[in-house]
Amino acid sequence: MSTQEPQETSPSRVSTESFEMVDASQAYEAVTPHWFYHQVQDNKSSWLPFSKEDSDKLEQGFSSGVNPQTIVIPTRGGRFDVHLGSRKQKAVYWDEKDSEVQRCTWFYKGEDNKYVPYPEDFSQVLEDAFMLAVTLNEWKKRLESPFRDIIILHNPKLMVHYQPVGSPDEWGATPSEQGRPRTVKRGVENISVEIPLGEPLQIDHLVFMVHGIGPACDLQFRSIVQCVTDFHTVSLNLLPAHFKKAMDQGLIGRVEFLPVDWHSSLHADATGVDDDIQRITLPSISRLRHFTNETILDLFFYNSPTYCQTIVDTVCGEINRIYGIFQERNPKFKGSVSVTGHSLGSVILFDILTNQTDSSLSSQDMTKDKTTASRSDSQGDTPRLSDVLQQLELTEYCSVFEREKIDMEVLALCSENDLKDLEIPLGPRKKILQYIRHRGWQKDSTGTTQATPPAADSKQPFLTSGSTPNVVNYEYFDVGIGQVSVRYPQLSFHPEVFFAWGSPVGMYLTVRGLKRIDPKYHFPTCKRFFNIYHPFDPVAYRIEPIVLREQEFDPILIPHHKGRKRMHLELKEGLTRMGTDILGSLKIAWQTFTRPPIPSLPPPTAEAAAVPHTNLSAEAEVMKTEEPPALVKEDPMQISVGMLNGGQRFDYVLQEKPIESFNEYLFALQSHVCYWTSEDTALLLLKEIYQTMGISMDQSLL
């Protein structure tokens, strides 16, 4: 909602006579208050209005007569709570300095031409003076604010604010007469301010968003909270345009996006890493080195066993913590949950999701696991070998191990050759080794046998490590493919979709030694996956070619949110096609000119004579056979890229903007952080999320 500021007359140009000519006789009507909150961003202070729905809730609580110290009202989609008594707004899901909240009725124009509300108590003073002036028709009232500013009510249409600029001059002029007047307005409807739309109460889906390197997420150096807030606004604005039918029918409400910050924990005082790095940092080019320490070093931290553990624990712990709070505040929420990772954040999520417990285990298998675990707990740290063999359905080999006096501790030391010497067949050998390595019991550095985390079902396809002869279980990132060995925590839910933005996952997998992803591989607990990138993003890499290495193919082009392709891309394709047509025609003409004379054809046979005559000459028919036209664009062939996205394509590329086409190097950095404000990206997320609920867009743009 946007209100236009009424046409004003500069107070300095209006004479006293004009004040007296205004007919100010009118009935007094109480001002309608609107609630605002204070925000400081980029060292700039501003007052922003709540939505009408939130403002009405706050006003209702204010007028309820209940002790305001006990009133807490959720606002801005439930992501903030307003404590009415202290007039403070507190963030619910993340750490943020409390912001001031105010009931606003009177405003003056600030230095940046934005209206600033007067304090609540002085606003009441102004309102009382205005009521008397209207009732008695007595104007030119002069009031002094708590800051010794002067406000003069000339008439209902002209009220001004003077700020003193010094002591009275030698002519006796007061400071109020020296200062430049500022416009005063009564009521939010009389100022130019954009009141945000209220958010639907119904939450259909929850998305956690994980940032990449550094504390800033875009070129304006904004935090993950600010960028997610922007993306949330973009998605809300797209819903009425593309899901209007579903909204009108009450089928959908909105998608909630919540930020996940891990950088603060990594660089907190508890780790001490910043102090350690600062001790060894050279003093020259200090600003550049500080920027490097704050951002690029996060890449190295993630490849360190110590700090990689800190990062994955923080990301998973934060997601689970926020999800718990969300469930408490939204007990009726029945929707699914998805995750989004930008840049390094996508790598972190990829690694975490690859190491989740397989949800495809049958109830019978889960019961067996619980039974074995309960027996192990009751008998000490080490389970009985017979229980393990029963769980693996290999009880026929109990006698072999008993004969050789092998228990679990000894079995943990056995190699594949040892089991082969015991004449254990290949299949059972692999089962036992898999259990020992990823589900069984191993000795730690103190010699004590300890449990290792349960792995996924052994039937889960692997990501293979190229030319090496061994099949690597990527679920635990064995050092055979270059990743550090850490313990991966479990999420408290199974994600519906994983969206990667500007992701270097493909590069990470490749430098870890991974040559190919098994087409049958999929995340143990996540059904869908999308790798979304800008064509000029210097950090992004494709992933589909790691699955399908045998052929080259383009990614899926993400349509513009208003439909089709951007005009400059269609023009570029048209020119390219035109150039191909011209080159093809010249090639055919040249071949015709240089081809030797065609021998005389024999007289047509009866069968040939019966063929209907066409307008093609014999020579043209020959050229058509030898030179099939490449001008007709064939329909894109169906490509199988494995099961990472449920058998569907997952590399998606955005369309560059016209200005970006002029110099792709100039916009490279911007392209890496464009996703937070990209309407095309937001619409793709909404489309895929609502498709999981069986709801389609009004227009099939994607």
Side-chain angles (χ1 to χ4, degrees):
M1 173 181 176
S2 178
T3 58
Q4 297 296 325
E5 182 179 353
Q7 189 70 26
E8 299 176 359
T9 304
S10 175
S12 60
R13 297 184 180 179
V14 180
S15 64
T16 305
E17 290 79 4
S18 64
F19 298 157
E20 298 172 350
M21 292 172 62
V22 176
D23 182 10
S25 59
Q26 57 180 342
Y28 169 77
E29 294 182 2
V31 65
T32 302
H34 195 95
W35 291 74
F36 283 64
Y37 63 93
H38 187 246
Q39 177 177 284
V40 178
Q41 185 173 336
D42 299 330
N43 296 324
K44 294 182 179 179
S45 173
S46 59
W47 285 89
L48 302 176
F50 286 98
S51 68
K52 185 180 185 305
E53 291 80 359
D54 285 345
S55 180
D56 290 346
K57 287 193 300 182
L58 292 170
E59 184 63 22
Q60 183 179 0
F62 174 82
S63 306
S64 64
V66 179
N67 181 5
Q69 300 297 332
T70 63
I71 299 178
V72 178
I73 298 177
T75 58
R76 300 168 66 185
R79 296 179 297 280
F80 293 86
D81 282 341
V82 171
H83 295 250
L84 211 57
S86 61
R87 295 292 198 273
K88 295 295 183 182
Q89 176 182 246
K90 301 176 182 290
V92 173
Y93 298 105
W94 56 83
D95 292 331
E96 181 179 298
K97 185 178 180 180
D98 295 349
S99 57
E100 186 179 354
V101 173
Q102 189 169 302
R103 182 176 183 263
C104 304
T105 52
W106 285 75
F107 307 83
Y108 68 93
K109 184 175 285 189
E111 295 179 355
D112 56 355
N113 289 327
K114 293 183 179 180
Y115 280 93
V116 180
Y118 287 104
E120 289 187 36
D121 51 355
F122 186 64
S123 292
Q124 188 59 50
V125 172
L126 290 172
E127 182 64 18
D128 293 341
F130 181 84
M131 180 182 64
L132 288 175
V134 170
T135 304
L136 304 176
N137 196 19
E138 296 178 356
W139 293 95
K140 298 184 181 179
K141 289 187 174 292
R142 183 188 184 98
L143 298 95
E144 183 174 338
S145 75
F147 305 103
R148 305 192 66 80
D149 296 351
I150 303 300
I151 294 88
I152 301 178
L153 309 182
H154 290 293
N155 60 56
K157 301 296 183 182
L158 183 61
M159 298 172 283
V160 292
H161 177 128
Y162 293 93
Q163 288 184 316
V165 294
S167 58
D169 59 17
E170 58 186 18
W171 299 96
T174 62
S176 62
E177 294 170 342
Q178 294 177 355
R180 181 179 179 182
R182 298 183 179 182
T183 304
V184 175
K185 293 293 181 181
R186 174 179 177 265
V188 70
E189 66 276 5
N190 292 316
I191 66 174
S192 55
V193 63
E194 183 177 354
I195 299 178
L197 297 174
E199 300 182 20
L201 297 178
Q202 176 183 332
I203 300 177
D204 307 316
H205 199 92
L206 174 62
V207 180
F208 291 104
M209 313 193 85
V210 181
H211 65 84
I213 62 173
C217 294
D218 62 6
L219 297 185
Q220 287 75 43
F221 296 98
R222 296 184 305 164
S223 68
I224 176 65
V225 172
Q226 294 169 323
C227 288
V228 171
T229 299
D230 269 4
F231 190 81
H232 187 274
T233 302
V234 171
S235 70
L236 280 179
N237 293 336
L238 287 172
L239 285 175
H242 299 281
F243 294 88
K244 185 177 186 303
K245 182 178 179 181
M247 293 188 73
D248 292 343
Q249 295 176 351
L251 299 178
I252 65 173
R254 63 182 173 92
V255 177
E256 180 67 283
F257 299 92
L258 296 178
V260 178
D261 176 22
W262 56 266
H263 182 271
S264 301
S265 297
L266 176 64
H267 294 266
D269 295 337
T271 63
V273 63
D274 284 355
D275 293 337
D276 295 338
I277 293 296
Q278 188 59 40
R279 292 190 189 97
I280 61 176
T281 300
L282 301 182
S284 59
I285 53 174
S286 57
R287 292 186 179 180
L288 179 58
R289 295 187 190 278
H290 176 74
F291 174 78
T292 301
N293 292 347
E294 279 283 306
T295 56
I296 299 177
L297 281 187
D298 287 347
L299 297 172
F300 298 98
F301 287 143
Y302 191 65
N303 288 305
S304 158
T306 301
Y307 296 110
C308 179
Q309 187 69 67
T310 301
I311 292 173
V312 296
D313 285 347
T314 301
V315 170
C316 194
E318 272 295 284
I319 291 177
N320 289 340
R321 179 189 69 82
I322 297 173
Y323 184 54
I325 297 175
F326 178 83
Q327 287 181 308
E328 290 178 1
R329 295 175 65 90
N330 301 274
K332 297 181 180 180
F333 176 72
K334 303 299 181 182
S336 300
V337 186
S338 294
V339 292
T340 298
H342 175 237
S343 191
L344 181 62
S346 66
V347 180
I348 299 170
L349 286 176
F350 191 94
D351 292 349
I352 289 176
L353 292 180
T354 305
N355 286 273
Q356 295 299 290
T357 301
D358 193 346
S359 61
S360 64
L361 285 172
S362 65
S363 59
Q364 183 179 0
D365 292 335
M366 295 177 67
T367 303
K368 289 181 180 179
D369 288 344
K370 292 179 180 179
T371 303
T372 302
S374 62
R375 291 179 181 176
S376 302
D377 292 340
S378 63
Q379 296 177 2
D381 288 336
T382 307
R384 293 187 305 178
L385 178 59
S386 59
D387 293 335
V388 174
L389 294 176
Q390 181 179 357
Q391 178 186 348
L392 299 176
E393 299 179 353
L394 299 175
T395 53
E396 63 269 27
Y397 299 103
C398 286
S399 58
V400 176
F401 291 108
E402 290 176 358
R403 184 181 67 245
E404 299 294 332
K405 301 186 182 306
I406 295 177
D407 57 12
M408 281 302 302
E409 292 188 4
V410 176
L411 184 62
L413 302 174
C414 290
S415 65
E416 183 171 3
N417 288 333
D418 294 332
L419 297 179
K420 189 174 182 180
D421 291 340
L422 294 176
E423 298 182 350
I424 304 295
L426 177 62
R429 280 204 312 269
K430 292 297 184 181
K431 276 189 175 183
I432 294 172
L433 291 173
Q434 175 77 359
Y435 180 90
I436 292 299
R437 185 176 300 124
H438 300 306
R439 301 182 63 162
W441 301 76
Q442 296 177 336
K443 287 192 174 182
D444 59 16
S445 58
T446 64
T448 305
T449 305
Q450 299 289 348
T452 59
D457 191 351
S458 59
K459 297 178 181 178
Q460 169 73 12
F462 299 144
L463 282 74
T464 55
S465 186
S467 58
T468 58
N470 297 326
V471 176
V472 180
N473 186 349
Y474 193 72
E475 291 171 322
Y476 279 83
F477 292 100
D478 295 339
V479 292
I481 55 173
Q483 169 66 334
V484 296
S485 178
V486 297
R487 175 188 55 80
Y488 285 91
Q490 300 293 301
L491 295 171
S492 56
F493 57 88
H494 291 173
E496 186 74 24
V497 192
F498 169 27
F499 299 99
W501 294 351
S503 173
V505 164
M507 181 270 292
Y508 264 79
L509 297 181
T510 301
V511 300
R512 288 171 180 174
L514 201 70
K515 297 294 183 182
R516 181 173 181 267
I517 298 177
D518 191 307
K520 297 180 181 179
Y521 179 80
H522 59 84
F523 295 116
T525 61
C526 185
K527 302 175 183 177
R528 307 289 304 279
F529 171 65
F530 290 88
N531 180 38
I532 303 169
Y533 61 93
H534 189 283
F536 302 156
D537 189 336
V539 180
Y541 290 82
R542 292 192 63 185
I543 303 178
E544 287 179 341
I546 307 180
V547 180
L548 189 61
R549 298 174 56 88
E550 293 76 17
Q551 66 185 93
E552 296 183 0
F553 52 96
D554 294 329
I556 300 295
L557 186 68
I558 301 176
H560 189 265
H561 65 280
K562 293 184 179 179
R564 296 175 59 89
K565 294 182 181 178
R566 294 183 184 269
M567 184 178 296
H568 73 286
L569 293 180
E570 291 189 345
L571 179 61
K572 182 191 296 185
E573 287 188 0
L575 292 175
T576 302
R577 191 178 301 113
M578 183 184 301
T580 305
D581 292 348
I582 296 174
L583 290 176
S585 300
L586 290 176
K587 185 175 181 181
I588 292 174
W590 176 255
Q591 289 176 344
T592 303
F593 180 75
T594 58
R595 179 181 288 111
I598 298 177
S600 299
L601 297 176
T605 61
E607 290 81 1
V611 177
H613 176 72
T614 65
N615 60 353
L616 293 175
S617 65
E619 188 162 330
E621 289 288 351
V622 173
M623 288 189 292
K624 180 180 177 182
T625 304
E626 296 179 354
E627 188 84 29
L631 311 179
V632 179
K633 187 175 181 181
E634 298 180 356
D635 293 335
M637 59 181 176
Q638 297 296 324
I639 300 175
S640 176
V641 290
M643 297 304 296
L644 264 178
N645 191 28
Q648 301 180 23
R649 299 286 303 277
F650 52 84
D651 277 352
Y652 281 74
V653 61
L654 291 166
Q655 302 179 41
E656 71 270 20
K657 297 178 181 178
I659 192 173
E660 295 172 341
S661 300
F662 288 105
N663 191 325
E664 56 191 51
Y665 292 96
L666 186 63
F667 294 94
L669 290 179
Q670 173 62 33
S671 68
H672 182 58
V673 296
C674 71
Y675 312 97
W676 301 108
T677 55
S678 169
E679 294 169 306
D680 299 349
T681 302
L683 186 57
L684 176 62
L685 263 68
L686 292 175
K687 169 187 174 289
E688 296 300 332
I689 286 172
Y690 279 116
Q691 272 193 350
T692 65
M693 301 169 54
I695 296 174
S696 301
M697 295 194 307
D698 295 340
Q699 298 177 357
S700 299
L701 299 179
L702 301 181

